[in-house]
Amino acid sequence: MTVRIGVIGTGMIGEEHSRRITQTLTDGEIVAVTDVNAEQAQRMADNLGLSAKVYDNGQDLIKADDVDAVLVTSWGPTHEEYVLAAIEAGKYVFCEKPLATTAEGCRNIIDAEIQAGKRMVQVGFMRRYDSGYKMMKDVIDANKLGEPLMIHAAHRNPEVPERYVTPMAIHDTLIHELDTFRWLLDDDYKSAQVIFPRKTRHAHSKVEDPQMVLLETVKGVRIDVEVFVNCQYGYDIQCSVVGEEGIANLPEPQSLQYRQAGKLSSDILQDWKKRFNDAFDVELQAFIDGVANGEIGGPSSWDGYAAAIAGDVCVKAQESGQIESIEMPERPGFYA
Amino acid sequence: MTVRIGVIGTGMIGEEHSRRITQTLTDGEIVAVTDVNAEQAQRMADNLGLSAKVYDNGQDLIKADDVDAVLVTSWGPTHEEYVLAAIEAGKYVFCEKPLATTAEGCRNIIDAEIQAGKRMVQVGFMRRYDSGYKMMKDVIDANKLGEPLMIHAAHRNPEVPERYVTPMAIHDTLIHELDTFRWLLDDDYKSAQVIFPRKTRHAHSKVEDPQMVLLETVKGVRIDVEVFVNCQYGYDIQCSVVGEEGIANLPEPQSLQYRQAGKLSSDILQDWKKRFNDAFDVELQAFIDGVANGEIGGPSSWDGYAAAIAGDVCVKAQESGQIESIEMPERPGFYA
Amino acid sequence: MTVRIGVIGTGMIGEEHSRRITQTLTDGEIVAVTDVNAEQAQRMADNLGLSAKVYDNGQDLIKADDVDAVLVTSWGPTHEEYVLAAIEAGKYVFCEKPLATTAEGCRNIIDAEIQAGKRMVQVGFMRRYDSGYKMMKDVIDANKLGEPLMIHAAHRNPEVPERYVTPMAIHDTLIHELDTFRWLLDDDYKSAQVIFPRKTRHAHSKVEDPQMVLLETVKGVRIDVEVFVNCQYGYDIQCSVVGEEGIANLPEPQSLQYRQAGKLSSDILQDWKKRFNDAFDVELQAFIDGVANGEIGGPSSWDGYAAAIAGDVCVKAQESGQIESIEMPERPGFYA
Amino acid sequence: MTVRIGVIGTGMIGEEHSRRITQTLTDGEIVAVTDVNAEQAQRMADNLGLSAKVYDNGQDLIKADDVDAVLVTSWGPTHEEYVLAAIEAGKYVFCEKPLATTAEGCRNIIDAEIQAGKRMVQVGFMRRYDSGYKMMKDVIDANKLGEPLMIHAAHRNPEVPERYVTPMAIHDTLIHELDTFRWLLDDDYKSAQVIFPRKTRHAHSKVEDPQMVLLETVKGVRIDVEVFVNCQYGYDIQCSVVGEEGIANLPEPQSLQYRQAGKLSSDILQDWKKRFNDAFDVELQAFIDGVANGEIGGPSSWDGYAAAIAGDVCVKAQESGQIESIEMPERPGFYA
């Protein structure tokens, strides 16, 4: 069975996903596209050689009879509306992060999904599909490190544009870690604190960079994450889990090892798309397969909600300089 | 367009390839299968949920109207016959190594393919599709190491069964390196020598293990390959290219890095199928895409022939203990 | 010139230092020893084949005419008394950490040393003499990383005895980092915070383990140190300095790299004495050479005082759970 | 006891050794120096602040009453004469490699030493004192790798001057490996072969570079050594011992690990003196201690002889292109 997919939002990530569905993955076909910029939607369809209908708006696309599932890759503030409409229309929906720009928006989606009676939404936290993180998850679950006690992590980008401001370090950058650690540890957050080290000269005026985020989980695991988005040297994701019996570090991305010009070296990636390219493939294939089988998995609306709540508290902690507590509502049995 | 594929030989590698065509790759469908053991062919079709016809023999499968392309994964000595039949039937054929068990057999295929007037055959040298080797090829081609001068390599297996005898170190094991180095260096072999170190106590009586194979190319590159098929510790493929300006080493397969029990360690793979799983995927997808586009690439009959000639000389060198010269016939313009 | 040294305290570290002065270093000779346990002092002298006089008490040893310099390796609470006596007697003194068990005690030494008019005291912060840390210092000073912004560090021991209690994580363990970071960064501390992650099952009842210590410097560098003294797997000192232009990590101690039993591995040290053996050699040789030349350097009384002040605030922060500010008195020109 | 040392030859290595005896090591004092260039001998004495007598010639220096032991660091062709004179004078002698420039010269020394009735000579094969090689020796001797089967090695220099010609790749460069492998394996050589890969464009006209040397030991271990003296990128010594149960690699020299400018890198040394600086220290201290104790160890005249014989055969193999056999005379019980 081929899953017929409608894509809402044909910007960079929308086009990337459309390309992989069309050229790399199996069992999915893009039959409908729309974008706030209609020309761009058409251009993408042409570029990828899609025989897809270009819709005026997302709502019509969602309702179209030949659309089995919806991909929401539009501007963040529009996510909630489209996800709700997809649930309403009884269609599976893959939503890029954020699920919604407010915790309340996420809650609305959760309520709608519970009412629908089955999992309809997969959120685009692709790290859960990265081979390195999956190894880490397996090792933790198999108790090979003993109980996890601490995580040391870093999220580093070579640089960010001027429109990137301090809270985006949480909402755009740390958001991935916020989901990943919950999943790795099977745990929830209890408190957050944000520390601002001396600012790098490479940061624009409206962003504090780097930042250090400290998280505490319900089970007592303590996490420190360096968020450094103008680190200059590359795109670098580090994660080290310290357990009672030992420590595991995420693998470095594959590179040749050189002996040249006085250095023993390997290359560091510059581009997050390359770092997680395979994870995006596996993530979307899982969605397509789930739709085909009538049962989707992966990061749920609840996970999107939990990340949103934690993110909001982290932004509050940026502002207060204090340790701020994170209160997660009780998890509905639906998401157990 | 979906490429309809017939599979001849449903042993381990035949089943693996069928599985990936069915479950992982795009645009290919297995519509016909056959095996010397008919029950096994049927069992595989059942296991994979194929709606494929089970044929009594490879010849009938090849001639079937609904078979667009043929996968030859049968016992080595039968390869020549099936590849020739596929060419005769005008059907693209993917042939696992060896292309034929004799250089003469390979030559027959070459002659038939030239007569057919276009590339019909892709040989299963999957390393050319491995991400690490591709990085190495790119670096050499971009002249980042200067002219290559030497290659140091190792091909190590944890153990081999009793039926594995000394010449298999060449025909079954080194054969991959024989193709890979020609491709990496864009060069041909000029001589071979085989050295037998002290034998490991873990080797069975009929196999000299380890062996060291020394190869010389036409351009003067010197290559040493350790073949060690009872190394105990894992499946380990090493390749270091030494150039005028620097050296590049193949990456280690991805692993978490542990600090545990007094060791800083990472895992070494035990299984060649895991090592080259992704390469097999890319290789077969390239074949399917090539068939769909009416133009296949990758390792050619000529490459299969060249590896066979070099392999035969290596076996001669095992027996003589001498430096043996390798004479490659002139390459037809067809394979330029 | 041979420097004639008197050793006060012949416990483990006293014996180690005496051994290296006698067997490894140049230009030093141990001519006098004393210990609260006189038999042990004699036994050490015999073990090392010293022709040293055994004194009843440290004060007499310090005053002895043939003692040029004093090594204080006795029980911590006695350090202040002996260091003051040595200064009084006009003799150079090497004092193992802590310089004194209270900041006030350190201050007394500083006042005495200033009154003496020249540097008389070298404090046993041996990391400044470790080849890896020296590389790090050179790289920072040469501005190769740009301005330092953060340090991520870890101090891990395989296990500690039952008498090790929570504040010792600061006074006995972190104390080395407290000195090292001041020296690396040429900076002072401004605040401290201590976080207690979930406790490892391997820790005794009277010690919170692991701990995470967060330090802020005057220049705004933020430091996180994991102190984990029952980590099981080895003695492991990590230090990563994150600068505006790049990051440098302390080297791993030298080990063979193994491929064995499914693992690519190297050994992790188990014993801090092995980790810093060379540093101890260099440190004590520097002291002996300094005494011979009439001008000693290295960690000063002021450095011992600064570490003591920071350590006291860290213990306060252990108790309060709050961010505690660290107030360093103005540095006298004497120690500029 | 202080060992009074006379130094014959005050060129680079002579000055280095004199410096370390004077400034770094214990229990040795340089009391006499001589050089074919008397001014240079005086200059070195002045530079190092030695109160040493400058002799007109080596013979007089050797006979001087206040010289306990002799260091021969003069031009290679003069070694034999001075070593023989030292034995004749009953004085311990440390001789830089080569022991003599001909196997016959080495044999003369052996005969004289046997006649003297005790070990008088230590040859300057410093790698036996390198911490990495010592780890390797320990691991082999403890049988942790099982029986050694192969060694893969490389000896790379960034560049060599124009006077460096093809046979020097053996006599000046490989000579260290020739001793090291005998010692690591406790074995002797049986045959040698030299292969010339394509020549690097960076080599001068009178040196074939790189070269690959293949050695066979009596126990059947097979060794390949890449000698590449214009490799450009650094001074790099590699050694990998492949045993029945696993493999061990020599550690890389200590370096910080950087993340900078798109690279994860560590520094490669450029200078062999830095690479083996510590080994030189340990080597010479062992000699001094041996002299003081009246019993020296380390690389013997026999080891110098064995390396000379193997070196001569390697040069023969350079010329013949054939596998040449190495015949070691029976080892006298004296050197058992």
Side-chain angles (χ1 to χ4, degrees), chain B residues 168-190:
Chain B
M168 293 172 73
I170 306 301
H171 287 315
D172 281 45
T173 303
L174 186 75
I175 192 76
H176 287 290
E177 273 80 12
L178 288 175
D179 180 66
T180 304
F181 301 145
R182 283 184 70 247
W183 166 72
L184 277 179
L185 299 171
D186 196 15
D187 202 349
D188 271 305
Y189 300 115
K190 196 170 153 191

Coordinates of all heavy atoms in Angstrom, one line a residue, chain B residues 168-190:
Chain B
M168 N 40.8 -20.2 -0.4 CA 39.6 -19.4 -0.1 C 40.0 -18.0 0.5 O 39.2 -17.0 0.4 CB 38.6 -20.1 0.8 CG 38.0 -21.3 0.1 SD 37.0 -22.3 1.2 CE 35.5 -21.3 1.3
A169 N 41.1 -18.0 1.1 CA 41.6 -16.7 1.6 C 41.7 -15.7 0.5 O 41.6 -14.4 0.7 CB 43.0 -16.8 2.3
I170 N 42.0 -16.2 -0.7 CA 42.0 -15.3 -1.9 C 40.6 -15.2 -2.5 O 40.0 -14.1 -2.6 CB 42.9 -15.9 -3.0 CG1 44.3 -16.1 -2.4 CG2 43.0 -14.9 -4.2 CD1 45.0 -14.9 -1.8
H171 N 40.0 -16.3 -2.9 CA 38.8 -16.3 -3.7 C 37.5 -15.8 -2.9 O 36.6 -15.2 -3.5 CB 38.5 -17.7 -4.3 CG 39.4 -18.1 -5.4 ND1 39.7 -17.2 -6.4 CD2 40.1 -19.2 -5.6 CE1 40.6 -17.8 -7.3 NE2 40.8 -19.0 -6.8
D172 N 37.5 -16.1 -1.6 CA 36.3 -15.7 -0.9 C 36.6 -14.4 0.0 O 35.6 -13.7 0.3 CB 35.9 -16.8 0.1 CG 35.2 -17.9 -0.7 OD1 35.6 -18.3 -1.8 OD2 34.1 -18.3 -0.2
T173 N 37.8 -14.2 0.3 CA 38.1 -13.1 1.3 C 38.8 -11.9 0.6 O 38.2 -10.8 0.5 CB 38.9 -13.6 2.5 OG1 38.2 -14.7 3.1 CG2 39.2 -12.6 3.5
L174 N 39.9 -12.2 0.1 CA 40.7 -11.1 -0.5 C 40.0 -10.5 -1.8 O 40.3 -9.4 -2.2 CB 42.1 -11.6 -0.9 CG 43.1 -10.5 -1.4 CD1 43.6 -9.7 -0.3 CD2 44.2 -11.1 -2.2
I175 N 39.2 -11.3 -2.4 CA 38.5 -10.9 -3.6 C 37.9 -9.5 -3.5 O 38.0 -8.7 -4.4 CB 37.4 -11.9 -4.0 CG1 37.0 -11.6 -5.4 CG2 36.3 -11.9 -3.0 CD1 38.0 -12.1 -6.5
H176 N 37.4 -9.1 -2.3 CA 36.8 -7.8 -2.1 C 37.9 -6.7 -2.2 O 37.7 -5.7 -2.8 CB 36.1 -7.7 -0.8 CG 34.8 -8.4 -0.8 ND1 33.7 -8.0 -1.5 CD2 34.4 -9.6 -0.2 CE1 32.7 -8.8 -1.3 NE2 33.1 -9.8 -0.5
E177 N 39.1 -7.0 -1.5 CA 40.1 -6.0 -1.6 C 40.7 -5.9 -3.0 O 41.0 -4.8 -3.5 CB 41.3 -6.4 -0.7 CG 41.2 -6.0 0.7 CD 40.2 -6.8 1.6 OE1 39.8 -7.9 1.1 OE2 39.9 -6.4 2.7
L178 N 40.7 -7.0 -3.7 CA 41.2 -7.0 -5.1 C 40.4 -6.0 -6.0 O 41.0 -5.3 -6.8 CB 41.2 -8.4 -5.7 CG 42.3 -9.3 -5.1 CD1 42.2 -10.8 -5.7 CD2 43.7 -8.8 -5.4
D179 N 39.1 -6.0 -5.8 CA 38.3 -5.1 -6.5 C 38.5 -3.7 -5.9 O 38.6 -2.7 -6.7 CB 36.8 -5.4 -6.5 CG 36.0 -4.4 -7.3 OD1 36.2 -4.3 -8.5 OD2 35.3 -3.6 -6.6
T180 N 38.4 -3.6 -4.6 CA 38.4 -2.3 -4.0 C 39.6 -1.4 -4.4 O 39.5 -0.2 -4.7 CB 38.3 -2.4 -2.5 OG1 37.1 -3.2 -2.2 CG2 38.2 -1.1 -1.8
F181 N 40.8 -2.0 -4.3 CA 42.0 -1.2 -4.6 C 42.1 -0.8 -6.0 O 42.5 0.4 -6.3 CB 43.3 -2.0 -4.2 CG 43.3 -2.4 -2.7 CD1 43.8 -3.6 -2.3 CD2 42.7 -1.6 -1.7 CE1 43.8 -4.0 -1.0 CE2 42.7 -2.0 -0.4 CZ 43.3 -3.2 0.0
R182 N 41.7 -1.6 -6.9 CA 41.7 -1.2 -8.3 C 40.8 0.0 -8.5 O 41.2 1.0 -9.2 CB 41.1 -2.3 -9.2 CG 42.0 -3.5 -9.6 CD 41.3 -4.4 -10.5 NE 41.2 -3.8 -11.9 CZ 40.0 -3.5 -12.4 NH1 38.9 -3.7 -11.8 NH2 40.0 -3.0 -13.6
W183 N 39.7 0.0 -7.8 CA 38.7 1.1 -7.9 C 39.2 2.3 -7.2 O 39.2 3.4 -7.8 CB 37.4 0.6 -7.3 CG 36.4 1.7 -7.1 CD1 35.6 2.4 -8.0 CD2 36.0 2.1 -5.8 NE1 34.8 3.2 -7.3 CE2 35.0 3.1 -6.0 CE3 36.3 1.8 -4.5 CZ2 34.4 3.7 -4.9 CZ3 35.7 2.4 -3.4 CH2 34.8 3.4 -3.6
L184 N 39.7 2.2 -6.0 CA 40.2 3.3 -5.3 C 41.3 4.0 -6.0 O 41.4 5.2 -6.1 CB 40.8 2.9 -3.9 CG 39.9 2.7 -2.7 CD1 40.6 2.2 -1.5 CD2 39.1 3.9 -2.4
L185 N 42.2 3.2 -6.6 CA 43.4 3.8 -7.2 C 43.3 4.0 -8.7 O 44.1 4.7 -9.3 CB 44.6 2.8 -7.0 CG 45.0 2.5 -5.6 CD1 46.0 1.4 -5.5 CD2 45.6 3.8 -4.9
D186 N 42.2 3.5 -9.3 CA 42.0 3.6 -10.7 C 43.3 3.1 -11.4 O 43.9 3.8 -12.2 CB 41.8 5.1 -11.1 CG 41.2 5.2 -12.5 OD1 40.8 4.2 -13.1 OD2 41.2 6.3 -13.1
D187 N 43.6 1.8 -11.1 CA 44.9 1.3 -11.5 C 44.7 -0.3 -11.6 O 43.6 -0.8 -11.3 CB 45.9 1.5 -10.3 CG 47.3 1.5 -10.7 OD1 47.6 1.0 -11.8 OD2 48.2 1.9 -9.9
D188 N 45.7 -0.9 -12.2 CA 45.6 -2.4 -12.3 C 46.8 -3.0 -11.6 O 47.8 -2.3 -11.3 CB 45.6 -2.8 -13.8 CG 44.2 -2.9 -14.3 OD1 43.4 -3.6 -13.7 OD2 43.9 -2.2 -15.3
Y189 N 46.7 -4.3 -11.4 CA 47.8 -5.0 -10.7 C 48.9 -5.5 -11.7 O 48.6 -5.8 -12.8 CB 47.3 -6.2 -9.9 CG 46.2 -5.8 -8.9 CD1 44.9 -6.2 -9.0 CD2 46.6 -5.0 -7.9 CE1 44.0 -5.8 -8.1 CE2 45.6 -4.6 -6.9 CZ 44.3 -5.0 -7.1 OH 43.4 -4.6 -6.2
K190 N 50.1 -5.5 -11.1 CA 51.3 -5.9 -11.9 C 51.9 -7.2 -11.4 O 52.5 -8.0 -12.1 CB 52.3 -4.8 -11.9 CG 53.3 -4.9 -13.0 CD 54.1 -3.6 -13.0 CE 55.5 -3.8 -13.5 NZ 56.4 -2.6 -13.3

